[in-house]
Amino acid sequence: MIENVKLRRTLTTLACVLVSGFIQGYTIQVFMAPTKLVASGFTGVAMLLNALTEYTAHPISISFGIVLLNVPTAFMCYKNIGPRFTFYSLLQVMISSVVLKLFYFEPLFQDAILNVIFGGVANAFAAVLALKGNASTGGTDFIALYFSNRYNKSFWDYVFGFNALIIIIFGFTQGWLYAGYSIVFQFICTKTIQTFHTRYDRLTVQIITQETEAVLEAYTKNFLHGITCTDSYGGYSRRPFTTMITVVSSYEVDDVIRKVSDADPNVIINTFKTENFVGGFYIPPMD
């Protein structure tokens, strides 16, 4: 049973990463390059390097720039982020680079606004797919996750500042019209990711059970978040119960429900979104 779960998880991750890498490479060729849009993160840096060296004796291709920037960063961060997450993120980066190198796709639209809108959604969809597979599109994700996990605070504001710097440089070198298009593109991309990806949302899980020790054993063996237990009493059954409350990440909640239900088939579980959480919160590695 455990082996089947691991195999299914691996196949799901592989499928997400493969499709994500293909979509990202396709998006760069079909929507971004024709409109001279610059992406966020290291992909944006690679596109900027390509634009700056396009007419030199040794132009830096986007595919080569993506690999050149991502590989050293991944090796620097893999111990803190997790080897599995790092491996599949690098695989996604490699696939998008191969697509850019080996394939050529004709642009779908001549209109810049359509390229901005469809490109932003497609690029976000590629990122969400990778994240759903417990990977990423690499780049500044590695750096932000490394510092977020190490210091237990968000570093995405610094990533935003880095992306803003890329657009400013892009504006000075390629023109402010294209920089403006890139800002709208990144805004659409960011909002789409926030809509479909809820990895960092936190949920309160309320567990009511008579099999206290079995449920606690199943929970504490598989999860490192704290859990509070209180004695309770059934209003109709007049039987004693234990009520447990814990707060977990949204991507962990299905695993919690499954483990607890296996320990007590008659358990009652209620989940609801945690709007505000104060205190230490364990952030598991990305594996």
Side-chain angles (χ1 to χ4, degrees), residues 40 120 124 160 184-195:
S40 60
F160 176 79
V184 177
F185 167 84
Q186 291 193 20
F187 178 80
I188 293 172
C189 185
T190 300
K191 289 300 179 183
T192 304
I193 292 173
Q194 288 177 345
T195 300

Side-chain angles (χ1 to χ4, degrees), residues 252-281:
E252 295 175 290
V253 71
D254 289 338
D255 289 337
V256 171
I257 292 173
R258 187 176 68 254
K259 295 291 185 182
V260 170
S261 298
D262 288 344
D264 178 11
N266 297 314
V267 71
I268 298 172
I269 302 174
N270 181 33
T271 65
F272 46 93
K273 187 174 181 180
T274 302
E275 295 296 338
N276 191 22
F277 183 89
V278 178
F281 186 80

Side-chain angles (χ1 to χ4, degrees), residues 53-131:
T53 61
E54 185 177 3
Y55 300 106
T56 64
H58 302 286
I60 300 174
S61 68
I62 297 175
S63 58
F64 177 74
I66 290 173
V67 174
L68 181 67
L69 293 166
N70 276 279
V71 172
T73 309
F75 279 110
M76 181 183 71
C77 300
Y78 86 98
K79 285 187 178 179
N80 182 272
I81 299 175
R84 185 179 186 277
F85 178 85
T86 304
F87 170 77
Y88 283 111
S89 297
L90 271 180
L91 180 61
Q92 195 276 350
V93 170
M94 296 296 182
I95 292 168
S96 62
S97 299
V98 168
V99 170
L100 286 171
K101 193 71 176 177
L102 300 183
F103 295 92
Y104 175 76
F105 301 102
E106 291 286 344
L108 291 181
F109 307 112
Q110 299 300 318
D111 185 82
I113 299 300
L114 288 176
N115 282 330
V116 168
I117 295 172
F118 281 88
V121 173
N123 196 57
F125 186 62
V128 169
L129 263 181
L131 292 167

Side-chain angles (χ1 to χ4, degrees), residues 221-286:
K221 185 179 178 180
N222 294 281
F223 308 97
L224 296 179
H225 300 293
I227 184 167
T228 301
C229 305
T230 56
D231 293 331
S232 52
Y233 193 73
Y236 284 93
S237 66
R238 303 296 196 271
R239 292 181 296 179
F241 292 90
T242 299
T243 299
M244 306 176 186
I245 297 178
T246 184
V247 178
V248 300
S249 298
S250 60
Y251 72 98
E252 295 175 290
V253 71
D254 289 338
D255 289 337
V256 171
I257 292 173
R258 187 176 68 254
K259 295 291 185 182
V260 170
S261 298
D262 288 344
D264 178 11
N266 297 314
V267 71
I268 298 172
I269 302 174
N270 181 33
T271 65
F272 46 93
K273 187 174 181 180
T274 302
E275 295 296 338
N276 191 22
F277 183 89
V278 178
F281 186 80
Y282 172 72
I283 302 176
M286 304 303 288

